[in-house]
Amino acid sequence: MTSVGEDRPDQPAAPIQGLGVELNGLNTIHESERKGRARDLFWPWFGANVSVFGLSYGSFLLGFGISFWQATIVGVVGIVISFLFCGFISLAGKRGSAPTMVLSRAMFGVDGNRLPSVLSWLLTVGWETVLTALAVLATATVFEQLGWEGGVATKVVALIVVAALIIAGGVIGFHLIMRMQKIITVVTGVLTVVYIVLVLGHIDLGAVSALPSGSFPQVIGGFVFMLTGFGLGWVNAAADYSRYLPRATRSAGVVGWTTFGSSLAPVILLIFGVLLAGSSADLNKAIAADPIGALASLLPTWFLVPFVIVAVLGLVGGAVLDIYSSGLALLSAGLRAPRYVAAGIDGVIMTIGAIYVVFFAPDFLGPFQGFLITLGVPIAAWCGIFIADIQLRRRDYADKELYDRRGRYGSVRWAPIALVVVGTALGWGLVTSSVSWLGWQGYLFDAFGLGGRSGDWAYANLGVLVALVIGYLGTLIFSRATVRRQEALA
């Protein structure tokens, strides 16, 4: 039996007796454990993205100063393209039967991969924190609307319950997560439809159609925000679930079901969210402070409790996938411990972060956008590298050598590391944030003649696209020969 903290491939891991705790971690999934069909990927991806939080992105998009049709087009295109990235990276899971951050070693080397592993860990822990905090804030707001206590005591209890659900899912592992996601998918899907029906009357098509069109930089800014808010937040975990599929599974099915399952709910919720936020300036403003709680203000009293259920379950569904993958990323970064211990550590950090957001942060939207864009830049560079590498490869990964620094993938591959560093340096110079401690960003706008930190391009978030292109094209140019040499070895 393999311990998650050990780099020992291709050994089956039985669950802890009586608890069902998964012991698979960095190891390659044994042939005897690979089962299922590509369409099984629909459940975890849909369940993780059906949260009513998706409605709030309609408000976030309109914050870029664009019209309904502009927001709808860039929102739908951004969501589908970003989750298509996840679909492509899911192919690596089927080909290698190992976690995303282990498969990334084929590009960066066994030791060099610690850099993207740390980035992946930061991103997933950050998302866990965001989703947990949102669940707590939404619960408190709804309690206040019901005339109940919504203060500190309610927030503390809500935090304990939400954190316990998330940590339990992350610690017990894959099989519990798959069961949880099916339940979450059904419950949240049905209740979200009821929510949409109940608030239809609040849509003012006249106000929506009167929204002025934005400039090209504003449209690009909204598009990039959709990339970072959806698929780019999941790419570093995309192979963690497809790794359990048999390697004979059709590649088109893996890409298709991952993309469809993850995009379906966000597309519907985004369009409806744009209609709601565009109908009311007050609601649009309130969402920035409490994204989900503000949506509850539109509901009749009798549906507030079901709304809390759908909101919390949807957020828990996303956070459970994050904590599972953040534990794997922490192990890949070098922690020597079982997977369930790593997930527990991340759960503690998540809880501490949520306490800060709930009880001390002045607002939600500013730090959230700063977090997405700042980490979105290096993750975009890594994503470009990974997708290009998948495109270059013709064979499955050499399983055992993903764990051997003396094998074909080596210890450190400097070219991909340089692409991440260069992509990040250029990318951070072409993004800005309203958060004070990120004021150093945007240092290349003047140099590139883009009007400085207050010009038209300041909030277009061009740096994310630049980093993505650098990672992708750089890998196609500089890594082609290396991949051919790797695959030529017996």
Side-chain angles (χ1 to χ4, degrees):
M1 184 181 299
T2 184
S3 168
V4 166
E6 299 175 7
D7 283 355
R8 294 165 57 188
D10 202 30
Q11 296 187 27
I16 293 177
Q17 294 299 319
L19 295 178
V21 176
E22 177 200 3
L23 294 187
N24 282 320
L26 297 189
N27 58 289
T28 301
I29 300 302
H30 191 267
E31 184 67 35
S32 64
E33 296 187 76
R34 298 175 200 162
K35 57 186 178 180
R37 294 163 293 185
R39 65 188 183 200
D40 294 334
L41 294 172
F42 175 86
W43 297 106
W45 286 108
F46 184 86
N49 290 283
V50 73
S51 167
V52 292
F53 183 42
L55 292 167
S56 301
Y57 276 89
S59 172
F60 301 158
L61 258 187
L62 293 181
F64 284 89
I66 57 181
S67 69
F68 166 75
W69 287 112
Q70 287 175 323
T72 299
I73 292 170
V74 301
V76 171
V77 173
I79 288 169
V80 174
I81 288 178
S82 69
F83 281 122
L84 187 60
F85 294 159
C86 293
F88 288 141
I89 292 176
S90 292
L91 286 176
K94 185 203 71 161
R95 287 179 172 183
S97 305
T100 315
M101 281 299 133
V102 170
L103 299 168
S104 180
R105 294 173 177 180
M107 289 134 262
F108 290 85
V110 175
D111 296 312
N113 194 60
R114 295 181 191 274
L115 171 62
S117 294
V118 170
L119 291 173
S120 174
W121 178 74
L122 289 172
L123 182 64
T124 46
V125 169
W127 267 111
E128 294 159 28
T129 301
V130 165
L131 297 176
T132 302
L134 281 173
V136 174
L137 290 172
T139 301
T141 300
V142 171
F143 271 43
E144 289 175 355
Q145 292 177 6
L146 288 167
W148 303 343
E149 169 60 40
V152 173
T154 297
K155 291 177 180 177
V156 169
V157 173
L159 178 59
I160 292 172
V161 172
V162 171
L165 287 172
I166 295 169
I167 294 172
V171 167
I172 293 176
F174 177 81
H175 297 293
L176 175 61
I177 289 173
M178 295 297 281
R179 290 195 293 269
M180 286 178 67
Q181 294 300 71
K182 286 189 177 182
I183 296 171
I184 288 172
T185 296
V186 173
V187 175
T188 55
V190 170
L191 292 180
T192 299
V193 171
V194 175
Y195 175 88
I196 290 174
V197 171
L198 289 175
V199 301
L200 271 175
H202 292 274
I203 293 177
D204 182 347
L205 293 179
V208 172
S209 62
L211 293 171
S213 297
S215 64
F216 183 64
Q218 290 171 307
V219 171
I220 295 297
F223 171 70
V224 176
F225 185 71
M226 289 294 100
L227 292 181
T228 55
F230 287 96
L232 279 181
W234 288 107
V235 288
N236 55 309
D240 293 353
Y241 304 94
S242 56
R243 67 189 174 126
Y244 276 89
L245 292 175
R247 295 195 182 180
T249 306
R250 289 182 63 248
S251 296
V254 173
V255 176
W257 282 107
T258 298
T259 306
F260 176 65
S262 51
S263 299
L264 179 60
V267 164
I268 296 171
L269 292 171
L270 173 83
I271 294 172
F272 194 76
V274 173
L275 289 170
L276 277 180
S279 300
S280 170
D282 291 337
L283 176 64
N284 200 2
K285 182 178 179 181
I287 287 175
D290 184 1
I292 296 179
L295 295 170
S297 65
L298 305 178
L299 291 168
T301 302
W302 65 266
F303 192 71
L304 287 176
V305 171
F307 178 81
V308 170
I309 294 172
V310 66
V312 171
L313 283 180
L315 295 168
V316 166
V320 164
L321 291 189
D322 278 321
I323 196 171
Y324 181 78
S325 294
S326 70
L328 294 174
L330 186 57
L331 297 175
S332 186
L335 178 69
R336 309 293 294 183
R339 184 204 58 78
Y340 53 87
V341 172
I345 292 172
D346 287 348
V348 172
I349 296 172
M350 170 196 77
T351 304
I352 294 172
I355 289 172
Y356 168 76
V357 174
V358 170
F359 296 103
F360 301 103
D363 62 39
F364 170 81
L365 186 56
F368 176 60
Q369 288 181 323
F371 154 71
L372 282 185
I373 299 302
T374 300
L375 283 180
V377 169
I379 288 295
W382 173 87
C383 178
I385 292 168
F386 206 128
I387 291 175
D389 186 84
I390 291 173
Q391 182 178 333
L392 290 173
R393 293 187 186 275
R394 300 292 180 266
R395 300 182 180 179
D396 290 344
Y397 298 91
D399 298 346
K400 295 181 180 179
E401 296 187 51
L402 288 168
Y403 305 85
D404 184 1
R405 60 182 53 88
R406 297 166 298 179
R408 71 184 67 189
Y409 303 120
S411 175
V412 178
R413 289 190 55 213
W414 292 106
I417 291 175
L419 289 175
V420 171
V421 172
V422 172
T424 300
L426 291 175
W428 280 344
L430 293 172
V431 298
T432 56
S433 173
S434 60
V435 181
S436 59
W437 56 273
L438 294 175
W440 52 271
Q441 294 176 342
Y443 45 80
L444 291 178
F445 280 111
D446 283 323
F448 288 0
L450 296 173
R453 290 184 174 94
S454 59
D456 291 340
W457 288 96
Y459 288 95
N461 300 319
L462 286 176
V464 175
L465 297 179
V466 168
L468 181 68
V469 171
I470 287 174
Y472 179 76
L473 293 181
T475 300
L476 292 182
I477 294 170
F478 297 113
S479 295
R480 185 179 300 272
T482 299
V483 171
R484 293 292 169 262
R485 285 196 299 270
Q486 290 174 353
E487 295 192 327
L489 296 174

